[in-house]
Amino acid sequence: MSDSFQTQTSAASTAVEDAPLVSVRGLEVAFRTQGGTVNAVRGVDFDIFPGETVAIVGESGSGKSTTATALINLLPGNGTIAAGSIMVDGKDITRFSQRQMAAIRGGVIGYVPQDPMSNLNPVWSVGFQVEEAVRANGLATHRKDVKARAIEVLKQAGLGDAERRMQQFPHQFSGGMRQRVLIGIGLAADPKLLIADEPTSALDVTVQKTILDHLETLTREKNTAVLFITHDLGLAAERASKLIVMHRGRIVEAGASVDILTNPQHPYTQTLIAAAPSLASRRIRGMAAPGAPVLDVAALAAEHNPDHERELQEAPVTIDVKDLTKVFAIRRGSFRSEPLTAVDKISFQVRKGSTLALVGESGSGKTTAARMVLGLEPPTDGDIFVGGVNLNGLSSRGLFDLRRRMQPVFQDPYSSLDPQRSIGAAIAEPMKVHGIGDREARSARVRELLDQVSLPQSIAERYPNELSGGQRQRVAIARALALKPEVVVLDEAVSALDVLVQAQVLQLLADLQDELGLTYLFITHDLAVVRVVADEVAVMEAGRIVETGTSDQIFENAQQPYTQRLLDAIPGSGIDWGN
Amino acid sequence: MTRYILRRLLQAIPVFLGTTFLIYFMVFAMPGDPVLAMFGDKTPNPTQLENLRAQYNLDQPFIVQYLLYLKGVFTGDLGETFSGQEVSEVLRRTFPVTLKLVLMAVVIEFLLSVVIGLVSGLREGKFVDNLNVVVALVLTSIPAFVAMFLAQYFIGIKLGWAPVTVGANATWGAMFLPALVIALTVYVTGMRLMRGSVIEARNEDYVRTAYAKGLTSRRIIPVHVARNSLIPVVTNTAASFGALIAGTTITEGIFNIPGVGNTLYQAIIRGETPTVVSFVTILTIVYVVVNILVDLLYAVLDPRIRYV
């Protein structure tokens, strides 16, 4: 594998410059765990040339982030570089002392971390933390110069009122602004290489686009090489000229981005590209023939089926929301409070057996709306009818009964299952609460449900920590289906999953919908996913629904500028995909 | 902020009334006649007894006694001890002694917690860390009074490095040994807090980012690791200050220190209601005030916390 890669990089390199800035050969990283040594990176070779943008793409556990942290020698305590070399400017940094390494970090290799929330120290002001970077890299020594330089760094990173912002603390910044600070710190000393480890995966798409555009401008101006680490193929292809695809600690394919996307060679890359939901995909339906290949989202997308669409148009309305409003009181001081309208007079309908996607960025009110439909949050005004029953004025007994017909699946499969309970107990709990069946009947139903979500029955005896994220989300779906509900509210139910797993879960949801005639209310920020699951789409902005329509109408002919902005911001939206 | 402090002080009023009432009631309900006890083995004549009872309001019903006491507190009159001294005068004499002792103990406790906790946390799982964990386990397992007798015997008597008892002359130097022993018996909580926070902080993303900026350990450990870890330790130490002020009875008894704890002990033995209640009231107020200060300290140490 590495041989073919060498030839590819050297072919590309002649176009840029002759000597590579970073040259990684035979890199192996091992982690000591209680169960022995685990090799997270196994023999990785690649080069990065000055001014070039390279992206390492892979799923969680592929070793992409480990490779990046090895480049600046910041592996977690139990990780070590077991073999191989990392040449930076002709010197092997794997042999460097801590002191030598400190000199490289910041000045030669800058680093922008993934999570803007946890990467700034909460007890120091933002200015302090930028000044620290300025001083560490010897950019200025006098107090006044340091401060001036720090303000400059923040301004360059796109923070308008940097002078005032300097004294503020990280918690007073939004996620996007914190990420700008981190990018500023990463670029403060004009490094030759900037490592950006999933720099925007915690941010809204429109913010992500602005920040990545800005980063691109900065690095192009200064001819900084960039190494992107990302799970998002679209983003990688859009931002990098060269792609490295990693799988289980190895590079499976590398080369020019366009070549890989349009003509992937390795089977893994092919599945990855096929599974990536994109704007070109269509609505997937339940599979007619079980046993068909599972992962190809594009192939699974049903052909335009006018009959099916008409059927849905005529189906009875299951969820009917009218002028739903939620006003929160935000505390300002001890006695005063300000009203905040989280959801502002929204109305929508979901027909039986169909899927409505409620799309919006963080703060748009989509989750609050979902919580009100689930009866977890009382509305300030407006009505919600589920199967003809008005949630308003429902007694707690009535609400309890209603919950049999409506179940949620939440975003985080790690925190939505009680670690103390076995999978079987977790799935059986709703039946127990609602007094359905005896022990025997319930465990039979658990086995049936596990079959439905394609998990082995033996899993019932196991505990959540033994399961992968995808398996857990299947368990959460099985639990939601335990009471045979008509409606399932899916709140970002696939957002935390890797792309391949995501494709499988989406397929499962489509199958179950066909089989059981389920009605889905699908809450998500990810428009690309919407394309493959939704019949109808409602776009929310600042508490209001700004546009509704069928999936095709929204994706092919969006009327509102906000919807258009959202669509444009999807990474990879402008790329002609291999599928 | 001002509003917050005001609210906390208002909350202290029911605490004050509740404690004084409870203490007053408990001392009242104690068996034995305090007036009789004043005479020891001698048999007093009945008129003398009557006069004394009237003098200390002991002939009144309980609730009247309590209200009279409260009236005294609000007019600055804490009453008299049975030996005729003003309670406020006794407090003025003994309180500084205890304050000195506890202050010294708390400073030593804080230094031990931070230094040992930091070293242990940075060397997690290494020899120094394991040794420290064992030593800490031994020290917390020894009851305070045993540790004090041991210190008194070996350091005071055998080695002669420190005075065996303190007595009337309660200087800083004379009280160093008792303060050190107190600190050794309580530092473990703070040390474990520090150690745990340091281990956690070392793996924080912002520490990795600080390294990525090009900073060295010499700066990162004090500025990003230790500074963040101090928050729980400082507040724990401050809270233990309140607890120690109220809990020096045993130490003061063993080392014969003329402080609050010692005096309180004597007063309880003699059933001197005004003295006991006044002392406990003062200690309660100190405890409440220290706790308010601890909460305010949180906001100083952690900018994310703001009181409104």
Side-chain angles (χ1 to χ4, degrees):
Chain A
M1 193 50 57
S2 66
D3 280 348
S4 68
F5 178 49
Q6 296 295 313
T7 53
Q8 276 170 7
T9 45
S10 53
S13 69
T14 46
V16 190
E17 244 177 75
D18 27 16
L21 176 66
V22 173
S23 184
V24 177
R25 287 294 172 273
L27 180 68
E28 302 209 3
V29 179
F31 286 96
R32 285 187 317 274
T33 63
Q34 286 174 336
T37 343
V38 176
N39 288 313
V41 176
R42 321 161 183 220
V44 159
D45 310 304
F46 64 90
D47 293 321
I48 301 169
F49 290 86
E52 183 181 46
T53 303
V54 179
I56 303 184
V57 190
E59 296 180 277
S60 39
S62 62
K64 57 184 193 305
S65 277
T66 307
T67 307
T69 34
L71 282 190
I72 40 171
N73 202 352
L74 283 180
L75 292 166
N78 58 344
T80 46
I81 295 175
S85 63
I86 301 169
M87 308 292 282
V88 175
D89 270 351
K91 286 180 213 105
D92 187 357
I93 62 164
T94 58
R95 292 162 200 284
F96 271 21
S97 67
Q98 276 304 319
R99 184 156 293 279
Q100 284 173 301
M101 224 26 245
I104 293 250
R105 291 182 197 132
V108 181
I109 304 180
Y111 177 74
V112 179
Q114 170 167 16
D115 182 1
M117 297 302 160
S118 64
N119 275 289
L120 288 168
N121 189 334
V123 309
W124 294 111
S125 72
V126 167
F128 177 93
Q129 297 183 61
V130 179
E131 287 175 4
E132 213 177 36
V134 169
R135 218 176 271 123
N137 292 296
L139 303 174
T141 41
H142 292 290
R143 206 153 62 88
K144 277 209 173 123
D145 298 345
V146 171
K147 192 174 175 203
R149 184 66 199 246
I151 291 173
E152 200 181 306
V153 162
L154 288 179
K155 280 199 169 143
Q156 229 169 35
L159 273 182
D161 46 354
E163 286 94 339
R164 192 173 62 82
R165 287 283 185 181
M166 288 278 282
Q167 287 113 44
Q168 292 192 323
F169 289 91
H171 68 273
Q172 293 164 301
F173 281 51
S174 70
M177 279 159 46
R178 292 188 206 194
Q179 197 54 282
R180 285 179 189 276
V181 173
L182 288 164
I183 288 173
I185 289 173
L187 287 171
D190 290 335
K192 292 179 185 167
L193 170 69
L194 183 75
I195 299 174
D197 188 354
E198 304 263 17
T200 52
S201 55
L203 306 175
D204 278 329
V205 273
T206 50
V207 183
Q208 165 170 303
K209 185 170 156 54
T210 327
I211 286 187
L212 289 180
D213 285 349
H214 193 77
L215 181 65
E216 201 169 306
T217 319
L218 287 179
T219 52
R220 191 177 301 145
E221 261 169 30
K222 295 176 176 171
N223 199 35
T224 314
V226 179
L227 177 66
F228 268 114
I229 310 297
T230 180
H231 66 284
D232 189 335
L233 258 176
L235 186 141
E238 198 170 73
R239 302 289 168 178
S241 56
K242 219 160 79 183
L243 281 192
I244 296 171
V245 183
M246 283 189 74
H247 181 50
R248 295 187 178 173
R250 293 179 209 280
I251 293 178
V252 294
E253 191 161 357
S257 305
V258 190
D259 293 347
I260 293 194
L261 279 190
T262 50
N263 190 17
Q265 298 299 315
H266 193 277
Y268 176 76
T269 321
Q270 289 166 353
T271 15
L272 209 57
I273 289 175
S278 75
L279 300 186
S281 319
R282 289 210 173 277
R283 173 81 158 92
I284 46 172
R285 303 247 170 255
M287 280 178 296
V294 187
L295 290 177
D296 197 336
V297 171
L300 284 167
E303 284 301 302
H304 243 336
N305 186 345
D307 285 349
H308 189 86
E309 260 165 42
R310 203 171 324 111
E311 239 169 69
L312 283 181
Q313 293 298 323
E314 285 158 9
V317 173
T318 301
I319 305 176
D320 192 359
V321 169
K322 283 181 186 151
D323 291 332
L324 187 62
T325 302
K326 180 74 194 183
V327 181
F328 289 110
I330 304 291
R331 273 184 72 151
R332 297 256 183 270
S334 309
F335 300 107
R336 284 173 306 129
S337 66
E338 274 172 24
L340 174 92
T341 310
V343 175
D344 194 0
K345 285 196 167 190
I346 62 165
S347 302
F348 59 83
Q349 294 185 329
V350 194
R351 290 182 183 276
K352 185 167 171 32
S354 77
T355 303
L356 173 81
L358 212 50
V359 190
E361 298 188 284
S362 41
S364 64
K366 57 186 193 301
T367 296
T368 309
R371 288 177 59 82
M372 286 191 284
V373 171
L374 282 166
L376 297 172
E377 189 90 62
T380 309
D381 202 11
D383 293 303
I384 304 162
F385 296 89
V386 175
V389 180
N390 193 342
L391 259 68
N392 243 348
L394 214 53
S395 64
S396 57
R397 180 73 219 176
L399 200 60
F400 180 76
D401 289 337
L402 186 78
R403 293 222 163 95
R404 279 184 71 161
R405 303 164 57 187
M406 182 166 61
Q407 286 286 309
V409 176
F410 294 109
Q411 172 170 11
D412 185 356
Y414 289 88
S415 60
S416 63
L417 291 175
D418 185 342
Q420 308 282 331
R421 287 171 158 267
S422 73
I423 300 301
I427 298 175
E429 191 176 26
M431 295 185 268
K432 217 167 160 183
V433 171
H434 285 266
I436 293 167
D438 52 13
R439 241 185 122 82
E440 203 87 321
R442 285 200 291 264
S443 76
R445 175 80 178 128
V446 167
R447 287 195 296 276
E448 186 189 350
L449 285 162
L450 286 172
D451 282 345
Q452 271 178 348
V453 298
S454 312
L455 286 173
Q457 293 186 355
S458 60
I459 229 168
E461 316 298 321
R462 292 164 69 183
Y463 284 83
N465 65 337
E466 301 171 59
L467 271 54
S468 71
Q471 284 175 321
R472 287 176 204 221
Q473 206 58 316
R474 282 169 192 269
V475 171
I477 293 169
R479 180 175 56 182
L481 295 178
L483 297 170
K484 304 190 179 163
E486 298 152 40
V487 178
V488 180
V489 178
L490 301 146
D491 190 358
E492 301 275 11
V494 296
S495 307
L497 305 175
D498 271 327
V499 58
L500 291 182
V501 183
Q502 188 181 67
Q504 289 165 354
V505 172
L506 288 173
Q507 182 58 53
L508 172 72
L509 289 171
D511 289 344
L512 291 169
Q513 184 167 46
D514 262 27
E515 208 178 303
L516 308 170
L518 295 171
T519 306
Y520 289 152
L521 178 59
F522 197 99
I523 316 295
T524 185
H525 70 280
D526 190 343
L527 273 163
V529 168
V530 170
R531 184 59 160 160
V532 297
V533 295
D535 297 300
E536 305 214 35
V537 181
V539 182
M540 285 191 76
E541 185 196 12
R544 296 168 181 276
I545 292 184
V546 294
E547 187 164 9
T548 50
T550 64
S551 198
D552 288 345
Q553 281 167 356
I554 296 284
F555 281 86
E556 276 150 31
N557 193 15
Q559 298 298 315
Q560 294 296 321
Y562 179 72
T563 314
Q564 200 53 57
R565 266 216 317 282
L566 279 182
L567 290 169
D568 290 344
I570 298 176
S573 56
I575 293 170
D576 190 14
W577 289 67
N579 52 22
Chain B
M1 189 76 150
T2 333
R3 188 189 292 272
Y4 174 79
I5 298 173
L6 214 68
R7 203 170 61 214
R8 286 295 300 266
L9 287 174
L10 285 177
Q11 282 170 357
I13 293 174
V15 175
F16 168 78
L17 289 175
T19 4
T20 46
F21 183 82
L22 277 178
I23 298 292
Y24 212 93
F25 178 74
M26 283 193 282
V27 178
F28 180 82
M30 273 196 321
D33 185 337
V35 180
L36 271 180
M38 286 166 84
F39 292 90
D41 294 337
K42 281 180 273 178
T43 322
N45 75 51
T47 35
Q48 214 175 353
L49 279 179
E50 282 312 306
N51 286 343
L52 275 170
R53 289 217 164 88
Q55 188 189 341
Y56 294 107
N57 295 321
L58 293 172
D59 51 350
Q60 307 280 349
F62 165 69
I63 197 75
V64 177
Q65 288 189 35
Y66 175 65
L67 289 175
L68 281 171
Y69 167 73
L70 269 193
K71 182 185 150 214
V73 170
F74 287 114
T75 53
D77 173 21
L78 295 178
E80 286 178 7
T81 67
F82 286 168
S83 51
Q85 290 171 292
E86 291 280 325
V87 173
S88 49
E89 176 54 38
V90 179
L91 258 177
R92 232 190 313 276
R93 205 178 57 233
T94 54
F95 202 76
V97 175
T98 300
L99 198 67
K100 237 191 229 178
L101 172 71
V102 172
L103 213 59
M104 209 168 7
V106 161
V107 168
I108 300 171
E109 178 206 355
F110 181 71
L111 291 175
L112 287 175
S113 297
V114 170
V115 173
I116 301 178
L118 181 64
V119 170
S120 204
L122 291 174
R123 300 239 173 284
E124 189 199 357
K126 306 264 169 63
F127 176 74
V128 178
D129 182 34
N130 292 335
L131 180 75
N132 164 50
V133 171
V134 172
V135 170
L137 192 68
V138 170
L139 285 176
T140 36
S141 307
I142 301 176
F145 70 93
V146 175
M148 283 167 196
F149 280 129
L150 289 175
Q152 207 172 29
Y153 181 72
F154 287 106
I155 297 173
I157 296 172
K158 286 283 171 190
L159 297 169
W161 289 352
V164 180
T165 55
V166 176
N169 187 20
T171 58
W172 291 99
M175 287 195 295
F176 180 76
L177 182 63
L180 179 71
V181 181
I182 295 176
L184 280 175
T185 53
V186 295
Y187 88 97
V188 175
T189 317
M191 184 277 288
R192 295 293 299 198
L193 274 175
M194 182 74 187
R195 179 179 175 273
S197 310
V198 166
I199 290 169
E200 214 170 284
R202 278 173 73 203
N203 295 315
E204 287 288 352
D205 285 345
Y206 56 74
V207 169
R208 190 187 54 190
T209 303
Y211 276 108
K213 286 196 256 189
L215 300 176
T216 53
S217 300
R218 198 195 283 180
R219 176 165 175 92
I220 290 172
I221 286 169
V223 173
H224 291 284
V225 176
R227 168 65 176 77
N228 289 52
S229 308
L230 278 181
I231 298 170
V233 184
V234 169
T235 47
N236 171 68
T237 310
S240 77
F241 179 78
L244 285 178
I245 286 261
T248 51
T249 311
I250 293 170
T251 320
E252 291 185 1
I254 290 172
F255 286 98
N256 191 25
I257 298 167
V260 172
N262 215 346
T263 314
L264 186 60
Y265 176 70
Q266 306 292 344
I268 292 171
I269 297 286
R270 285 198 294 267
E272 285 182 38
T273 316
T275 318
V276 175
V277 179
S278 298
F279 269 59
V280 174
T281 306
I282 295 290
L283 292 179
T284 311
I285 291 171
V286 168
Y287 199 82
V288 169
V289 169
V290 165
N291 272 304
I292 295 176
L293 290 177
V294 169
D295 285 346
L296 296 178
L297 200 60
Y298 259 124
V300 175
L301 292 170
D302 191 336
R304 285 167 297 184
I305 296 171
R306 283 284 171 271
Y307 295 113
V308 282

